[in-house]
Amino acid sequence: MTEIGDPLPNVTLKDSADQDVKLSELKPPFVLYYYPKADTPGCTNEGKDFTALKADFDKLGVSIYGLSKDTPAKLAKFAAKYDFKITLLSDEQSDATEQMGVWVEKNMYGKKYMGIERATFLIGTDGKVAQIWRKVKVKGHAAEVLSAAQAL
């Protein structure tokens, strides 16, 4: 499980254009937020909230990446449908998801299953994890992350 001060795992993901993206080579600082599934209400609202604040993050030089296990094609459709201005990444193989500790047992209506925990990682200028939010509630979260980014 990734903790504050840890570097990111050296894994290769795909972006919505199906291009390779090495997580450990992204230019810091940046936000990496995990969401369970594209085009669901909470995930859509989270993407909209980060998109709405993108100009404020840009002023700080902080990029925003959303990450799920959805296919690159599904991510492209999701981003286009809601005009997201953030980069969406695919971790179909669960490499980063498992290494960062966000692949967890969930419980819905008494049924247990494995899934992505909604979590956000703020990566500092040194490329290491500066702050972590786990079990994120979407409302107001993007603004909270922006406040933390301003303090970097």
Side-chain angles (χ1 to χ4, degrees):
M1 180 176 290
T2 299
E3 302 291 341
I4 291 175
D6 288 350
L8 292 174
N10 187 21
V11 298
T12 301
L13 307 169
K14 295 281 188 178
D15 65 15
S16 58
D18 205 26
Q19 299 297 308
D20 285 349
V21 175
K22 289 191 178 198
L23 189 57
S24 61
E25 293 180 6
L26 293 175
K27 183 182 178 299
F30 61 89
V31 172
L32 180 66
Y33 77 92
Y34 280 85
Y35 60 96
K37 189 172 182 176
D39 215 4
T40 57
C43 301
T44 299
N45 288 333
E46 191 170 22
K48 286 179 179 179
D49 291 350
F50 275 112
T51 293
L53 294 175
K54 186 177 183 308
D56 296 316
F57 280 99
D58 286 347
K59 288 177 190 170
L60 300 172
V62 177
S63 300
I64 305 167
Y65 300 92
L67 197 151
S68 73
K69 288 176 56 72
D70 294 304
T71 65
K74 187 167 184 178
L75 296 179
K77 185 177 176 183
F78 181 44
K81 182 176 180 179
Y82 297 102
D83 197 28
F84 289 158
K85 303 298 183 200
I86 55 180
T87 302
L88 299 180
L89 300 173
S90 171
D91 187 21
E92 285 184 273
Q93 305 306 313
S94 289
D95 294 333
T97 304
E98 289 183 29
Q99 288 183 48
M100 294 186 76
V102 297
W103 186 247
V104 298
E105 183 176 79
K106 296 174 128 185
N107 188 349
M108 184 181 289
Y109 307 117
K111 182 180 177 186
K112 293 183 180 188
Y113 64 98
M114 296 300 290
I116 291 179
E117 171 185 54
R118 192 179 304 277
T120 302
F121 298 83
L122 177 61
I123 310 307
T125 55
D126 61 357
K128 295 182 180 178
V129 177
Q131 194 157 346
I132 301 171
W133 293 264
R134 295 196 180 272
K135 297 183 182 177
V136 166
K137 302 293 183 216
V138 173
K139 188 172 183 172
H141 177 63
E144 183 181 352
V145 176
L146 177 62
S147 292
Q150 290 167 334
L152 283 178

